[in-house]
Amino acid sequence: MPATDDSGFRELTVDLHAHLGVPALEQLIADAPGLARQRATEATSLGPASVAYNQEHFGALAAPLTSLDLRLAAMDRAGVDVQAVSATPVSYAWAEAPLAERITAVSNEAVAEHCALRPDRLVGIGTVSLQHADLAVRQMRSAVVDLGLRGVQISTAAAPGVELDDPRLADFWAAVEEAGAAVFIHPFGCTLGDRLNAYYMFNTVGNPVETALALTRIAFSGLLERHPHLRIWAAHGGGYLPTYLGRADHAWAVREDARTTVEPPSAQLSRVFVDSLVYTPHGLRHLVEALGPDQVTLGTDYPFDMGVEDPVERLLAAGLDPETVTAIRGGNALRLLGPLPRTTRTPIGGIS
């Protein structure tokens, strides 16, 4: 019998990694010179075969990225009760402050409006213009206070040459902690250039590298020691870092230039959440072993082809103990985002 809470509903299954398309943004930035430069850079990094494939693939995603009915139907098929929705991760780091402010406002309002259509099933995650640190603080507060979003999505760097541990972002991290907002780290593309321009390595190699780099800088910088109440979660299982976390700990132990924190990197990252999007039962078991059962959440990357449609089945296939399954399925999401909507999807004695 499924576990239930005091209100008579079974424990929620929560997908913390899903995206929304915002067509209004395309119109807003259509003539911006920075957009053309960004697309040229991405085309070089992707390579011609992946550029051509993505043009067709993303066209097919227009409906599932924007349709509430398609989203809810996919959630029902996947056994997901509540989904955290963030805008499609696209880099606007090139945008100057006035345009950046408008981009973020349009995006966050769209996420809030979409989630408001089914507040019993959807919660929103906003975004900020992190390349403008002072603006990002105001945007984060507006997203959380004015729009009721649960946190913000950022990339693996604020801008070229501005990493997430950059001192210029100190006020942003302090404000996030003070607001109690969650921060979702998701690559907005890859910065490794044309070395990845074949076989879709831009994504399959680039995304995990970007996330591993961002989390490593966070761990060694002492950010989580300075702000112990920060709630951060990372996409794609935290990238490559959990697989080789021992190497970071070894450097911390044997090198003075790497012993920059009181605790080793593994202890720092035991306070960071990651999603379960690692594809295989072995990979998920290893992720739980590396970071702990309390730090892994469910994630689908809906509706992209690098996501999964059966997150619960994959979780159950990993052969984890019942307490860990319950935590990953929804309990950890509650710890990360706070109270979530009570769904009417499956009451006791009812049918879905």
Side-chain angles (χ1 to χ4, degrees):
M1 181 176 180
T4 60
D5 60 29
D6 292 339
S7 65
F9 293 93
R10 67 175 175 79
E11 293 172 346
L12 300 181
T13 298
V14 185
D15 173 14
L16 285 186
H17 182 179
H19 297 298
L20 174 74
V22 184
L25 284 180
E26 299 175 12
Q27 302 173 12
L28 178 64
I29 65 175
D31 299 325
L35 176 62
R37 293 193 299 270
Q38 176 73 23
R39 287 179 173 170
T41 298
E42 290 180 352
T44 299
S45 300
L46 277 162
S50 291
V51 168
Y53 187 97
N54 280 357
Q55 287 176 344
E56 181 177 352
H57 174 59
F58 291 163
L61 289 179
L65 273 170
T66 56
S67 167
L68 176 65
D69 289 342
L70 291 178
R71 181 181 303 277
L72 295 175
M75 289 170 62
D76 288 342
R77 289 193 300 272
V80 169
D81 298 305
V82 176
Q83 189 178 79
V85 179
S86 53
T88 300
V90 176
S91 176
Y92 303 108
W94 45 267
E96 297 295 332
L99 179 58
E101 187 163 16
R102 184 61 182 147
I103 287 171
T104 296
V106 169
S107 179
N108 289 351
E109 288 165 7
V111 170
E113 290 171 1
H114 186 78
C115 294
L117 295 173
R118 283 300 300 267
D120 59 325
R121 304 291 301 273
L122 306 174
V123 294
I125 306 297
T127 190
V128 294
S129 304
L130 202 56
Q131 72 271 29
H132 305 292
D134 55 342
L135 178 58
V137 170
R138 297 197 302 273
Q139 291 170 333
M140 180 277 299
R141 288 174 175 154
S142 176
V144 173
V145 176
D146 299 333
L147 297 178
L149 304 180
R150 299 303 185 93
V152 293
Q153 175 182 233
I154 64 173
S155 188
T156 49
V162 184
E163 303 293 344
L164 297 185
D165 61 326
D166 193 292
R168 285 170 284 185
L169 300 181
D171 288 346
F172 171 77
W173 290 116
V176 166
E177 182 181 40
E178 180 183 12
V183 176
F184 181 29
I185 297 176
H186 189 301
F188 291 7
C190 177
T191 59
L192 294 179
D194 59 7
R195 294 188 67 200
L196 303 183
N197 68 355
Y199 321 121
Y200 203 38
M201 290 192 296
F202 175 90
N203 183 296
T204 59
V205 174
N207 274 6
V209 168
E210 289 282 339
T211 306
L213 174 58
L215 292 180
T216 300
R217 296 194 72 109
I218 285 173
F220 278 103
S221 72
L223 178 67
L224 296 171
E225 290 183 340
R226 294 191 298 276
H227 301 288
H229 301 296
L230 276 177
R231 290 181 288 161
I232 295 174
W233 90 99
H236 315 129
Y240 289 128
L241 184 59
T243 302
Y244 212 2
L245 191 52
R247 188 172 180 88
D249 277 359
H250 182 80
W252 180 91
V254 303
R255 294 183 59 95
E256 292 182 4
D257 58 335
R259 195 173 305 125
T260 53
T261 56
V262 175
E263 295 181 305
S266 60
Q268 305 282 331
L269 295 174
S270 69
R271 298 192 289 274
V272 172
F273 295 82
V274 300
D275 71 26
S276 60
L277 193 56
V278 293
Y279 304 106
T280 68
H282 170 77
L284 185 52
R285 289 194 299 271
H286 175 76
L287 191 63
V288 170
E289 181 180 357
L291 296 184
D294 293 334
Q295 303 310 119
V296 182
T297 65
L298 215 60
T300 65
D301 208 355
Y302 174 86
F304 290 98
D305 58 357
M306 291 300 291
V308 298
E309 298 178 349
D310 55 348
V312 176
E313 291 180 17
R314 290 170 185 263
L315 172 59
L316 296 177
L320 301 166
D321 62 80
E323 291 78 12
T324 297
V325 170
T326 296
I328 295 173
R329 191 165 186 160
N332 293 338
L334 288 167
R335 293 173 48 236
L336 175 63
L337 295 186
L340 293 169
R342 299 291 185 179
T343 181
T344 57
R345 185 169 170 272
T346 314
I348 292 177
I351 58 174
S352 60

